[in-house]
């Protein structure tokens, strides 16, 4: 079925400070269409930019509820607080900021161990890595290997899942609802800041695509040793040319 695209939904920035109302609305929509998303959880959110409510003592109960629904829990960093770094030294050059990229292996191991310990002490075993702002480097992967069982990354620009540096990657290429003709696409959503219009589009998209069996979950992904091929490389090169062009224009406009 080469011409049947598949879509995965990823929800970012779940933490003790999430916007309950908005997450509840999305939860209802996903349950209605039997969608099993990836939820990226920040276990010790210290980033004021992603604090949308008072500290919720019962946050981990929510995570358990998602796990019971067969949703997939991912580790979304430790504190989500960034330092400056050079984006071209990162695995995916999205931004000049990262919680991990550019730090020593020892520092990264410490952070990831602390994050993992919080998950484990709350009875949750994260299955994937979702780097805050997509920014990490090869030392982050080494750290994950040393202190966690996580061997799958949700990130990257390709047509479907691939294997690199000892890890399986499920690419994440979309931030809104687009029609594709083939391939595996992860759509990243930020429930805390989602608009009414985006919610409407989410529901329309799920209604249409689930009828065609095109919405999948983490468990439906075939994690094999596929290497990036010629077409993935063309797509990725095109993506980064466009991205870097927009990035340069944006930075230019800031001055
Ligand atoms: Zn984030």
């Amino acid at each position: 079925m080469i011409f049947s695209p598949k879509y995965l939904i990823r929800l970012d920035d779940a933490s003790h400070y999430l916007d309950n109302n908005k997450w509840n609305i999305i939860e209802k929509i996903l349950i209605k269409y039997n969608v099993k998303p990836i939820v990226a959880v920040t276990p010790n959110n210290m980033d004021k930019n992603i604090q949308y409510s008072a500290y919720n003592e019962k946050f981990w109960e929510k995570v358990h509820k998602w796990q019971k629904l067969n949703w997939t829990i991912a580790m979304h960093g430790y504190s989500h607080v960034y330092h400056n770094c050079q984006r071209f030294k990162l695995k995916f050059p999205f931004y000049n900021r990262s919680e991990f990229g550019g730090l020593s292996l020892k520092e990264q191991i410490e952070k990831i161990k602390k994050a993992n310990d919080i998950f484990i002490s709350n009875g949750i075993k994260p299955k994937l890595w979702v780097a805050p702002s997509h920014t990490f480097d090869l030392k982050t992967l080494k750290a994950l290997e040393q202190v966690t069982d996580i061997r799958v990354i949700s990130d990257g620009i390709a047509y479907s899942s691939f294997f690199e540096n000892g890890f399986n990657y499920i690419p994440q290429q979309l931030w809104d609802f687009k029609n594709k003709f083939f391939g595996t696409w992860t759509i990243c959503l930020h429930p805390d800041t989602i608009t009414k219009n985006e919610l409407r589009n989410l529901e329309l998209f799920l209604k249409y695509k689930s009828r065609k069996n095109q919405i999948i979950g983490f468990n439906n992904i075939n994690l094999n040793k596929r290497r990036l091929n010629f077409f993935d490389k063309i797509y990725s090169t095109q993506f980064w040319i466009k991205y870097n062009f927009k990035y340069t224009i944006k930075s230019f406009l800031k001055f």
Side-chain angles (χ1 to χ4, degrees):
M1 288 286 281
I2 189 162
F3 292 115
S4 175
K6 301 288 179 203
Y7 302 89
L8 260 163
I9 302 292
R10 191 180 99 186
L11 309 177
D12 275 21
D13 295 340
S15 83
H16 293 82
Y17 299 94
L18 57 73
D19 182 327
N20 237 337
N21 289 339
K22 291 229 171 122
W23 280 80
N24 286 345
I25 296 171
I26 292 204
E27 225 174 69
K28 266 190 203 144
I29 297 175
L30 296 182
I31 291 171
K32 182 171 168 191
Y33 295 100
N34 196 27
V35 178
K36 316 286 181 199
I38 293 167
V39 190
V41 173
T42 301
N44 179 42
N45 176 4
M46 293 291 199
D47 181 355
K48 294 257 182 303
N49 295 315
I50 58 155
Q51 296 183 350
Y52 299 92
S53 68
Y55 185 87
N56 176 4
E57 303 264 351
K58 295 188 172 168
F59 171 65
W60 287 103
E61 285 178 23
K62 220 174 173 51
V63 182
H64 275 276
K65 183 184 154 195
W66 294 332
Q67 198 168 253
K68 270 198 201 113
L69 287 166
N70 266 331
W71 294 16
T72 302
I73 310 301
M75 181 188 284
H76 189 42
Y78 168 56
S79 66
H80 207 284
V81 174
Y82 301 123
H83 55 263
N84 292 331
C85 63
Q86 286 171 286
R87 68 189 179 104
F88 287 109
K89 290 187 176 168
L90 301 169
K91 176 82 180 132
F92 303 114
F94 275 97
Y95 303 102
N96 288 317
R97 61 166 194 255
S98 178
E99 189 190 349
F100 296 88
L103 299 182
S104 69
L105 178 61
K106 189 171 167 267
E107 286 168 310
Q108 298 208 40
I109 285 178
E110 270 168 25
K111 271 173 180 277
I112 288 173
K113 172 135 190 18
K114 279 191 217 162
N116 202 47
D117 286 349
I118 299 176
F119 278 99
I120 301 300
S121 66
N122 285 287
I124 300 284
K125 210 172 166 196
K127 292 194 175 150
L128 297 104
W129 169 252
V130 173
S133 283
H134 314 269
T135 48
F136 62 100
D137 57 22
L138 295 182
K139 286 182 187 147
T140 320
L141 299 180
K142 271 202 184 120
L144 283 167
E145 221 162 39
Q146 288 195 23
V147 292
T148 74
D149 292 331
I150 296 173
R151 297 294 178 266
V152 188
I153 313 287
S154 164
D155 226 326
I157 306 300
Y159 285 120
S160 64
S161 66
F162 60 97
F163 187 80
E164 212 176 76
N165 316 114
F167 282 78
N168 285 104
Y169 288 75
I170 301 171
Q172 195 269 292
Q173 324 92 322
L174 300 178
W175 289 264
D176 53 14
F177 309 103
K178 289 205 170 97
N179 286 313
K180 297 290 181 182
F181 297 105
F182 59 91
T184 305
W185 304 87
T186 305
I187 305 170
C188 173
L189 303 175
H190 291 85
D192 297 289
T193 53
I194 204 160
T195 63
K196 276 191 184 155
N197 202 22
E198 285 166 332
L199 281 172
R200 211 172 305 129
N201 290 342
L202 168 68
E203 177 140 20
L204 284 174
F205 186 83
L206 295 181
K207 197 174 189 177
Y208 180 64
K209 300 292 182 188
S210 44
R211 240 186 275 143
K212 296 178 150 194
N213 285 325
Q214 291 179 353
I215 308 287
I216 56 166
F218 171 72
N219 293 334
N220 305 111
I221 302 265
N222 180 13
L223 294 173
N224 55 26
K225 297 257 162 115
R226 187 184 87 91
R227 297 280 170 183
L228 290 173
N229 64 26
F230 175 73
F231 299 103
D232 294 302
K233 285 177 187 166
I234 297 267
Y235 167 50
S236 161
T237 306
Q238 255 180 358
F239 176 94
W240 289 112
I241 289 174
K242 258 197 235 166
Y243 182 91
N244 289 329
F245 179 72
K246 281 188 203 159
Y247 192 94
T248 313
I249 300 278
K250 265 191 211 161
S251 352
F252 191 69
L253 290 176
K254 268 187 201 163
F255 290 107

